[in-house]
Amino acid sequence: MSSQSLSDSISAYKANSPTTPIVLTIAGSDSGGGAGIQADIKAISATGSFACSAITAITSQNTLGVTAIFPIPLDHVESQLDAVFSDIKVTAVKIGMLADTDIIQVVAKKLRQYQPKFIVLDPVMIATSGDLLLQESAINTLKSTLFPLVDIITPNLPEAAALTGLPIPQSESDMLAMTSALRALGASSVLLKGGHLENQAESLDLLISANTVIRLCAPRINTKNTHGTGCTLSSAIASYLAQGKSLEDAVSLAKNYISQAITQADELAIGQGHGPVNHFFALPKGESKA
């Protein structure tokens, strides 16, 4: 085969070969394995994409709570992002715990530099245990610096209240009343998660875009094992976006995935507090990728 024919053959192969859906998660590490980077990688893998990571903070954490937070030095956060983006074709980025203002600004700078196709931001402020994971002084920086860059933010009800200055919603009507304030935050879309409405028979989320509000419902599961639900859901959304799904379809598929992971969370026996969801519920029993 001539060199030109070989070149043509390689070009044809590259044009027709499938693209691996790659997701970069930028988040903190959870030493207990139920949330943060660990949950992100599990969710991205379980939903069919390849996961890369950039760690922003190391937490000393288990199912009972967070006992310490160590932010990663800024130059190393930056070098992790450069290392991934300069070599690997990242289609979607999921952002979780950012810890402080300086880390937020570094992440925003790198996203503007590399311009990934999709960005999903989970505004991680409060852990399932109630521990504060984002300095209050950093909330305004998060809103002004990162929100305009992202395709969707995924706040739960306490986080939405902190972002808007409104009371924590106590009902679906309260959630709907918050839509204008959430649209004003600057993100293209918002997924307002209603998991904290524990007196409701269904777990309701609202997908809020510029002109529409879509209700997404699933049966509420009676379990205390909900550690990492927000990390898992936002990572699954990023994974499905990387696979070419529309935003509405990606959110719907991710909602279904997290609902099944919660439904089967009690099959795991992890820790003494809020245990993790079952990311790999689809695997035959006795097998695990974790």
Side-chain angles (χ1 to χ4, degrees):
M1 181 181 291
S2 69
S3 60
Q4 183 59 45
S5 297
L6 179 59
S7 177
D8 291 343
S9 177
I10 292 172
S11 296
Y13 170 78
K14 288 182 177 179
N16 295 315
S17 62
T19 300
T20 301
I22 299 173
V23 180
L24 168 63
T25 167
I26 306 170
S29 170
D30 172 5
S31 55
I37 284 282
Q38 288 82 352
D40 295 347
I41 292 173
K42 292 173 187 177
I44 292 164
S45 301
T47 53
S49 298
F50 181 84
C52 305
S53 66
I55 298 176
T56 58
I58 298 171
T59 68
S60 300
Q61 185 175 173
N62 55 28
T63 65
L64 299 173
V66 181
T67 56
I69 298 174
F70 174 73
I72 298 297
L74 294 178
D75 59 346
H76 194 60
V77 173
E78 187 167 0
S79 70
Q80 289 178 82
L81 294 171
D82 284 333
V84 174
F85 278 120
S86 64
D87 175 52
I88 300 170
K89 187 175 177 58
V90 173
T91 303
V93 170
K94 175 269 166 89
I95 303 171
M97 179 184 177
L98 295 176
D100 60 37
T101 294
D102 291 338
I103 291 176
I104 292 170
Q105 291 173 337
V106 165
V107 170
K109 180 181 75 171
K110 288 300 167 183
L111 292 177
R112 287 192 295 267
Q113 177 181 345
Y114 292 108
Q115 299 185 1
K117 187 173 183 179
F118 301 108
I119 303 175
V120 177
L121 191 154
D122 183 18
V124 177
M125 300 178 185
I126 304 166
T128 302
S129 59
D131 295 288
L132 189 67
L133 297 177
L134 179 69
Q135 296 175 3
E136 292 186 17
S137 59
I139 293 176
N140 286 335
T141 305
L142 185 73
K143 291 160 63 175
S144 62
T145 305
L146 271 180
F147 282 11
L149 303 179
V150 308
D151 295 280
I152 186 169
I153 60 173
T154 61
N156 60 30
L157 299 185
E159 290 163 348
L163 290 169
T164 61
L166 298 174
I168 298 175
Q170 302 298 317
S171 65
E172 180 178 350
S173 59
D174 288 348
M175 292 173 66
L176 289 167
M178 189 178 266
T179 56
S180 293
L182 290 170
R183 285 180 174 128
L185 292 174
S188 296
S189 298
V190 179
L191 182 66
L192 179 60
K193 302 177 298 189
H196 283 75
L197 297 181
E198 296 179 355
N199 59 336
Q200 303 295 314
E202 291 186 312
S203 176
L204 169 68
D205 299 339
L206 299 179
L207 178 57
I208 303 163
S209 60
N211 301 307
T212 63
V213 177
I214 298 173
R215 298 175 80 255
L216 298 165
C217 290
R220 184 172 295 278
I221 307 304
N222 183 23
T223 177
K224 68 174 184 176
N225 295 326
T226 56
H227 186 49
T229 49
C231 305
T232 298
L233 176 62
S234 54
S235 295
I237 293 171
S239 178
Y240 288 123
L241 286 172
Q243 294 169 32
K245 305 297 184 184
S246 68
L247 180 62
E248 183 178 337
D249 286 346
V251 171
S252 179
L253 287 165
K255 172 79 168 176
N256 181 62
Y257 168 71
I258 187 61
S259 296
Q260 292 186 71
I262 294 171
T263 298
Q264 300 188 54
D266 288 352
E267 294 184 1
L268 303 176
I270 311 295
Q272 304 167 64
H274 291 283
V277 302
N278 189 347
H279 293 92
F280 296 112
F281 60 83
L283 286 180
K285 300 300 181 286
E287 297 183 26
S288 176
K289 293 182 182 178

